Amino acid sequence: VVSTQSTGALFGLVVTVYGLSYARLALLIYGGSALAESDGPWLLQWHCPYIAVCGINGVSECFYFATMSQIEVENYNLKLLPFSVCFLVLSAVFSYLFGTVGFILANIGNMSIRIFFSLRYTASYFGGTEVLKRSIPNIPQLMIIGVCGATALLSKLVLESSNSSLGYLCHIIIGGLSLLLVDHS
């Protein structure tokens, strides 16, 4: 559980960090300037942390369901109804406040609540939070991801804003090289 959760958290952080810097360029390559100059990059950027949250939720709920008794599973299924109501309320409020990205934020909120319940169960199952602490990426990993993310963001601001093929290519190369650094950490 610890290894899988830690790997999922690291993967989610990498997707989020690079998604913020490369969403517009990815949409430009995929769909042209019409897609890249719309709300598409903004939506794709918010999908990146959602992917991270979904990954963590998937691992934590997988453990949750694999170790629960049938009665505990049935009790959890009863909790899904309030989760659904919470999601509907969050969707309405966040969509009103933030527009289309509000639906993604509502999903992140809903998944975060589910993660909370799963992690609470995991801590109870193992008799404490020590196992959860070991699933958090370590400080050197976080620092490398942070530096690489800052590099990618700076590259986006300087090179992608040039709107030239050479600027885009350099931005991709910088991202690829920094991703290799993250991969080898």
Side-chain angles (χ1 to χ4, degrees):
V1 169
V2 171
S3 175
T4 306
Q5 192 73 2
S6 180
T7 302
L10 279 173
F11 179 75
L13 281 172
V14 169
V15 166
T16 300
V17 163
Y18 285 94
L20 294 173
S21 296
Y22 289 90
R24 183 184 171 281
L25 183 57
L27 291 177
L28 181 66
I29 292 168
Y30 175 75
S33 61
L35 188 57
E37 302 305 325
S38 67
D39 286 343
W42 179 243
L43 292 171
L44 186 55
Q45 286 173 329
W46 277 104
H47 264 92
C48 293
Y50 176 60
I51 290 168
V53 170
C54 282
I56 294 168
N57 181 61
V59 172
S60 61
E61 281 193 349
C62 183
F63 176 77
Y64 194 34
F65 286 120
T67 57
M68 283 194 299
S69 68
Q70 184 61 35
I71 293 170
E72 289 171 317
V73 170
E74 290 170 6
N75 286 337
Y76 182 77
N77 286 338
L78 293 176
K79 289 179 185 174
L80 290 178
L81 181 62
F83 289 158
S84 298
V85 171
C86 180
F87 170 70
L88 291 173
V89 169
L90 287 174
S91 292
V93 171
F94 287 167
S95 294
Y96 176 77
L97 294 173
F98 304 110
T100 53
V101 80
F103 187 69
I104 300 167
L105 294 173
N107 275 301
I108 291 172
N110 183 38
M111 289 292 160
S112 298
I113 293 167
R114 292 171 66 167
I115 289 168
F116 171 77
F117 280 97
S118 297
L119 294 181
R120 198 173 76 176
Y121 172 82
T122 302
S124 159
Y125 183 86
F126 285 108
T129 59
E130 189 58 39
V131 70
L132 298 177
K133 290 176 187 173
R134 290 193 322 249
S135 68
I136 297 170
N138 62 46
I139 298 298
Q141 289 171 323
L142 293 173
M143 288 176 60
I144 289 171
I145 291 172
V147 167
C148 289
T151 302
L153 188 58
L154 182 62
S155 170
K156 172 189 171 40
L157 295 172
V158 173
L159 298 171
E160 188 181 303
S161 63
S162 71
N163 288 323
S164 71
S165 297
L166 182 59
Y168 296 146
L169 180 62
C170 290
H171 182 45
I172 291 169
I173 290 170
I174 288 171
L177 291 174
S178 65
L179 189 58
L180 285 174
L181 181 64
V182 168
D183 183 46
H184 287 27
S185 65

